[in-house]
Amino acid sequence: MTNLRQLLLAAITLLCFFFAEAENRSEYVTYRPVLSAYTLDIGTAHIADTYLSPLRYNGFSTAFSYERMQAMRFNPERWIMQLHISPEFARTLNPARNSYIYDLNIHGSWAMMARFRMPATWLTLMAGGSTGADLGMLYAPRNGNNPVSAKASWTVNATAAAVARFRLGRLPIVARYQAEMALAGVFFSPSYGELYYEISLGNHRKLAHGAWPGNYIRLNNYITTDLLFGATSLRIGYNNYIASTSASNIVTRRITHCFTLGITTEWLSLPLRNTSRFPSADARIISAMY
């Protein structure tokens, strides 16, 4: 009986040691570095909003963007996440060049995409969904009664990307094209001629509208090229943004074409005290894009 108890105790001890070792190994063998990008977009803006004016305004646009990409914890080889935050500003003029419309907007989105490595190992395709929100306003200082057109929306989107890796001489380069299109959601729009003063008094009818491609179009096109000089890379690219809404006899069009310039870094979060969890020679480091 004593021998049986000793055998059971030894078996339980071995099992506990095995699972603890497997857990520790799973913690340090797979690492998911974070890819962070900080970019500045500068280009042209084209705005039309019938709530403020029947004319089309043209000018310049600028935006500061932050992008974060990382492989997902549950299946890092196949799934990645992407966070994108971008405050934007534009100043546009009417054709007579005597009236301005200013555009202030902040956009944020979170996406999860599956990636598929092609037989040509230099090419990876990604596809998935995202959800995002926009909050901002168009401001026409020359207007008297209606100087502001508020903008707010939340949408569910489809997104897809193609990533190519190659070398220019000895310099590694990662090029990407990504598109994101709104499919459904909700957006804010007052009635034509309705004052925001009336809304503040309690007239809240028909302010929220269901968004679908028939009355709400939001399309983002990104082209980026990362030059991998080392721990910090140079990003050069192009960003095209198209937004169009139609509700309550108000039509809004916002289009920008911007040149992108910025830096990217890829980093790991490591414990300072537990050096046993630092990457070892057999560790798997799974990058989101590189």
Side-chain angles (χ1 to χ4, degrees):
M1 192 70 176
T2 303
N3 292 335
L4 180 59
R5 290 180 179 177
Q6 292 177 348
L7 288 174
L8 288 175
L9 181 60
I12 293 173
T13 303
L14 287 174
L15 286 173
C16 291
F17 176 79
F18 172 79
F19 285 117
E21 185 66 20
E23 182 179 356
N24 291 335
R25 184 175 179 82
S26 65
E27 287 180 358
Y28 74 78
V29 167
T30 301
Y31 284 89
R32 303 172 298 116
V34 175
L35 176 65
S36 298
Y38 306 86
T39 57
L40 179 66
D41 298 341
I42 299 176
T44 61
H46 312 276
I47 296 174
D49 186 274
T50 56
Y51 182 84
L52 298 176
S53 171
L55 302 176
R56 178 179 176 180
Y57 284 60
N58 302 292
F60 80 91
S61 173
T62 183
F64 175 79
S65 299
Y66 168 71
E67 181 185 12
R68 174 192 172 106
M69 297 182 70
Q70 188 178 23
M72 299 294 292
R73 184 185 298 274
F74 66 89
N75 190 349
E77 292 281 3
R78 175 55 61 90
W79 292 93
I80 67 166
M81 61 80 69
Q82 180 186 46
L83 174 68
H84 188 259
I85 300 174
S86 177
E88 304 158 356
F89 171 76
R91 190 188 76 162
T92 58
L93 276 166
N94 65 357
R97 307 186 68 80
N98 60 5
S99 179
Y100 290 95
I101 284 183
Y102 297 93
D103 180 14
L104 298 172
N105 185 71
I106 183 167
H107 168 72
S109 65
W110 184 88
M112 188 168 71
M113 292 182 285
R115 54 181 168 183
F116 309 91
R117 301 189 185 277
M118 298 293 101
T121 56
W122 56 270
L123 179 64
T124 300
L125 301 181
M126 305 178 182
S130 69
T131 181
D134 286 83
L135 181 64
M137 68 174 184
L138 298 175
Y139 172 56
R142 189 171 181 177
N143 286 14
N145 291 332
N146 300 337
V148 173
S149 178
K151 304 297 176 185
S153 64
W154 168 80
T155 57
V156 176
N157 320 297
T159 184
V163 179
R165 302 168 188 81
F166 56 94
R167 287 180 176 271
L168 186 60
R170 299 179 62 181
L171 178 65
I173 297 177
V174 177
R176 171 187 60 168
Y177 168 68
Q178 182 171 354
E180 182 183 59
M181 179 178 179
L183 299 179
V186 62
F187 68 99
F188 168 85
S189 179
S191 299
Y192 184 81
E194 181 180 9
L195 301 179
Y196 285 87
Y197 177 71
E198 299 175 29
I199 297 175
S200 68
L201 294 179
N203 185 14
H204 299 154
R205 297 181 57 192
K206 298 182 179 180
L207 296 179
H209 304 267
W212 64 290
N215 65 357
Y216 185 98
I217 296 174
R218 190 182 192 284
L219 180 62
N220 276 2
N221 291 284
Y222 304 99
I223 299 175
T224 61
T225 302
D226 295 348
L227 309 179
L228 279 62
F229 292 106
T232 301
S233 305
L234 176 66
R235 171 165 291 186
I236 302 173
Y238 164 76
N239 182 16
N240 169 233
Y241 168 80
I242 301 172
S244 175
T245 63
S246 177
S248 302
N249 298 315
I250 297 175
V251 176
T252 302
R253 302 280 189 274
R254 297 157 70 199
I255 302 173
T256 61
H257 301 274
C258 292
F259 171 76
T260 298
L261 182 65
I263 59 173
T264 67
T265 60
E266 195 172 44
W267 51 273
L268 281 170
S269 179
L270 298 175
L272 296 178
R273 296 181 180 178
N274 188 3
T275 57
S276 64
R277 295 183 59 187
F278 279 21
S280 60
D282 60 346
R284 289 193 312 153
I285 298 178
I286 302 177
S287 174
M289 192 168 72
Y290 292 167

